[in-house]
Amino acid sequence: MKKIYLYGNWKMHMLPSEAEAFCSELLSGTAEELYSTRSIDIALFPPYISITPVARMLPENSFYKAGAQDGWFEDRGAFTGAVSMDMIREIGCTHVLVGHSERRSIFGDTDEIVGRKLKQAVQKGLIPVLCFGETLEQREAGQTLAILGKQLLAAWKDIEADEIKGTSELPGILLAYEPVWAIGTGRNAKAADAQEACAFSRNLFKERFGEHMDCPVLYGGSVKESNAAELLSQQDIDGALIGGASLKVGSFLGIYENYRKSAD
Ligand code: PGA
């Protein structure tokens, strides 16, 4: 069975106390036993304030990871409200989301800013999860792949292949295809459409950085227990970036369980 990346983007949910309770439940009993024998990578992306309790509670060097939802592209300075990649690392994150659609649409992250954040993340030794996706109007106008290509190439503009240092255990970068119209709407992309977009993105990554380079490609946008098996069994979908359904341990792990049952 292929390795599955089960990544939970908590957005602006989970007080530090709630994050602790989530981790206690996640790590309790059977889940821990079950997953230590499975090929799985679980990452949680809490709001900044709740990263420390999560990073402290997740066992080090395990298949559990902590990440931030964003990070700024400068080292330090007069950037009120911003958090640097060094800060994120020091509090125990291995991963960082870059270019999430809510950062782009609400906080004004342009393709150029996304590219600078991505560069800063790899330079600082964090594993970026580069998010990208089309709007409904773009999909209906038949522009999906053109838009994905534009976003990806812009983000990779200043990055060289040797900066993306993955190991056999940990990739140097992950891609997360998240159609904007599917995020938080309950309406996921059709499995075949998600597969097409993820395959396109993987191929573009190889074209840009070299045939020998590969990176996991996740799908995100209304992933839940009921659609997990179909989406995760697609050839070019290596995992899921999950918002709403990652807020409860049961529905989060249920996504993996439903895939596993169908693949076993
Ligand atoms: P959703 O969010 O699962 O609630 O659609 C996904 C995301 O924004 O990463």
Side-chain angles (χ1 to χ4, degrees), residues 9 11 97 100 102 178 182-186 220-223 241-245:
N9 172 14
K11 310 194 180 190
L97 301 185
H100 188 277
E102 285 145 24
E178 298 203 301
I183 295 176
T185 59
S222 297
V223 177
L241 184 57
I242 304 147

Side-chain angles (χ1 to χ4, degrees), residues 145-156:
L145 299 185
I147 293 294
L148 304 188
K150 183 175 158 286
Q151 289 178 356
L152 288 170
L153 292 174
W156 297 332

